[in-house]
Amino acid sequence: MKRCNWEERVERRFDGEVSDATAVDAHVSTCAHCKAYLADLELIRSVTHTAGPVPEIADAQFNAFMDGVREGIAPKPSPWRGLWAMASLTAAAFVVAFSAFILMRGETQPVLATEIESVSTELAGATVYKSDDGVTTVWVNMAEDDLP
Amino acid sequence: MTLTAFCIALLIAGAGDAVNGGPPPVSVHMWAVQATQEDRAQPHFDREVVAIKPAVEELPYDTYKKVAVAWRSAQVNEPARLPIDGTYTLIATPLPDQGDHRIRLEVAVEMKNQRDARGGAVKALQTTMALVPEKMVKLRGFRLDTGNELLIVLSVER
């Protein structure tokens, strides 16, 4: 739509700031553009009034106001968050308890070598002894008379 | 499965021994062979006694013939008799262990006294051993009626 040179004067007339209100009114009555423009201004004013008054924020209220804004922006904590934390703590406690259980059972003791604690024979004239040539060995030296 | 559930499962499994009571039975494996020197190019082992090969590599024999191969499972203080031949019998008795992961075993090799009309036997060998599970131990020096050595190899496990 082509603009009209009277738009500024129509705005000032709308705001009650012009002295030649009669001339502006006369122009508006003959100019379709300015008539529509004045109608738009009146519509905007009416809508603005229905929005109600905007509350002012005092300096003392500003911190509380920003806290509210931040709460609105920050992601809300999951209701499961506490449960997971508790589960993790429980799991950690079980790991510690299990480790202590294994240690107290002596599971980490090194494996020892084979040991001959005692050795004897009832055969007369025989002797017994043990040796370790890589594989632990118990010997029986049988006398000729001990042959079966 | 969560970590918590996994840990609980481990604890339950670990507590199983305490719930079940005594230790598991001991398995005693015995290989009794006639060992001879026959000037072979390669050592010979009867098929049933090939398992003892690593334990006898250093011996001055090249031929190992099976006399008896046996396996018994026994509880602590319960003697297990493993016949070898008409003369010898091995008796293995698991003993209470001392918490060092070794298996304590009392071993007796009974020898029938051929001159005893009542068939009496003497203990040609009696020994108490603390054995590393699955590690072999040799009992040597017994004589067969052929004049050759009877070699006994033992191994235990739970």
Side-chain angles (χ1 to χ4, degrees):
Chain A
M1 181 183 271
K2 188 180 178 185
R3 294 190 60 170
C4 178
N5 293 332
W6 285 69
E7 267 188 16
E8 281 188 26
R9 273 182 280 183
V10 170
E11 287 172 9
R12 287 201 296 271
R13 168 73 179 93
F14 182 74
D15 293 334
E17 295 173 356
V18 294
S19 55
D20 56 344
T22 307
V24 174
D25 290 345
H27 171 78
V28 168
S29 64
T30 60
C31 176
H33 174 83
C34 290
K35 190 179 285 182
Y37 186 58
L38 183 62
D40 288 344
L41 292 174
E42 285 172 345
L43 178 62
I44 291 169
R45 177 172 287 175
S46 67
V47 170
T48 305
H49 285 169
T50 58
V54 177
E56 288 189 9
I57 300 170
D59 289 345
Q61 297 174 311
F62 188 75
N63 288 337
F65 169 73
M66 287 307 296
D67 288 344
V69 171
R70 287 190 196 102
E71 279 181 18
I73 295 171
K76 292 183 178 174
S78 164
W80 299 103
R81 188 172 148 194
L83 191 61
W84 278 114
M86 185 63 73
S88 299
L89 281 174
T90 308
F94 270 113
V95 168
V96 171
F98 182 71
S99 302
F101 179 68
I102 293 297
L103 287 173
M104 282 189 287
R105 289 179 74 195
E107 293 289 337
T108 56
Q109 287 182 7
V111 174
L112 305 172
T114 291
E115 181 184 350
I116 306 300
E117 296 178 0
S118 68
V119 60
S120 63
T121 181
E122 289 179 359
L123 293 174
T127 57
V128 288
Y129 64 97
K130 53 195 177 184
S131 68
D132 197 341
D133 57 351
V135 180
T136 303
T137 306
V138 178
W139 281 81
V140 181
N141 275 340
M142 299 173 75
E144 289 297 319
D145 288 348
D146 290 326
L147 285 172
Chain B
M1 181 194 275
T2 65
L3 183 58
T4 306
F6 176 69
C7 291
I8 290 171
L10 283 178
L11 281 176
I12 290 171
D17 283 354
V19 173
N20 291 337
V26 172
S27 297
V28 181
H29 299 259
M30 180 198 73
W31 298 264
V33 295
Q34 173 182 264
T36 54
Q37 171 61 37
E38 298 181 8
D39 295 326
R40 294 174 183 268
Q42 293 289 325
H44 167 78
F45 290 82
D46 280 356
R47 187 170 52 84
E48 299 94 331
V49 300
V50 169
I52 68 169
K53 197 171 179 179
V56 300
E57 278 178 336
E58 304 299 321
L59 301 186
Y61 302 116
D62 60 11
T63 304
Y64 298 88
K65 291 184 177 169
K66 171 196 162 190
V67 176
V69 175
W71 169 90
R72 294 284 187 282
S73 180
Q75 295 286 353
V76 169
N77 294 325
E78 175 193 334
R81 296 182 69 88
L82 295 91
I84 296 172
D85 62 3
T87 302
Y88 295 100
T89 299
L90 185 139
I91 304 164
T93 308
L95 301 174
D97 64 33
Q98 296 178 329
D100 61 1
H101 296 266
R102 293 183 299 188
I103 297 172
R104 292 185 70 234
L105 197 69
E106 183 182 85
V107 175
V109 178
E110 279 188 354
M111 188 176 79
K112 196 177 285 181
N113 188 344
Q114 307 284 17
R115 295 170 220 156
D116 185 345
R118 291 172 299 176
V122 293
K123 287 194 169 103
L125 172 68
Q126 183 153 22
T127 179
T128 302
M129 301 181 279
L131 298 167
V132 176
E134 299 182 33
K135 196 165 183 180
M136 291 178 174
V137 61
K138 291 179 294 198
L139 309 179
R140 293 194 58 190
F142 306 102
R143 293 190 186 175
L144 294 166
D145 52 7
T146 59
N148 296 315
E149 179 177 353
L150 170 68
L151 169 66
I152 302 169
V153 179
L154 287 180
S155 169
V156 292
E157 60 186 80
R158 286 199 195 281

